[in-house]
Amino acid sequence: QVQLAESGGGLVQPGGSLRLSCAASLSYFSIYVMGWYRQIPGKQRELVASITPGGSANYADSVQGRFTISRDNAKNTVSLQMNSLKPEDTALYFCNGVPIFNYWGQGTQVTVSS
């Protein structure tokens, strides 16, 4: 059974940084592509970054150059370093597989506001 626990969100001013972490209780974590998703109320959940088992990353255009995804296969964790945050990055952030597992964690709220 998959369990995903996101943490690290908070309130930050525009231009600030946050680092999100996800602990995955998942067998064979290292074989899965993992991703960070975000959801803004009233909008569909979107994939903002993904990382392959080998560490190759892809990013949505909206976060390219500002966000960095990483993983530690030994610890079953995936992280998202978010720099130069903008108000439009305000959302509930989740980690999950790509494609998604049949489970979502609680997410972690990121609010970018002055």
Side-chain angles (χ1 to χ4, degrees):
Q1 182 175 355
V2 177
Q3 290 189 341
L4 302 164
E6 301 91 351
S7 61
L11 173 64
V12 63
Q13 292 187 340
S17 299
L18 282 174
R19 185 176 181 84
L20 307 184
S21 295
C22 172
S25 175
L26 171 65
S27 298
Y28 305 109
F29 171 85
S30 64
I31 71 171
Y32 293 102
V33 177
M34 294 297 296
W36 280 95
Y37 300 76
R38 66 186 181 189
Q39 185 161 25
I40 301 169
K43 295 189 177 182
Q44 282 194 333
R45 199 168 293 181
E46 64 169 335
L47 177 66
V48 297
S50 63
I51 186 166
T52 67
S56 296
N58 281 286
Y59 302 93
D61 290 344
S62 58
V63 308
Q64 179 75 48
R66 300 187 297 121
F67 291 11
T68 303
I69 189 171
S70 60
R71 68 189 294 162
D72 186 333
N73 289 334
K75 296 182 179 179
N76 282 22
T77 59
V78 58
S79 300
L80 186 68
Q81 177 67 42
M82 305 187 296
N83 299 328
S84 302
L85 282 161
K86 305 176 180 180
E88 51 264 43
D89 295 319
T90 295
L92 189 59
Y93 284 74
F94 301 87
C95 69
N96 211 305
V98 182
I100 61 171
F101 306 127
N102 189 27
Y103 173 87
W104 288 96
Q106 295 296 309
T108 186
Q109 178 67 39
V110 172
T111 303
V112 184
S113 175
S114 55

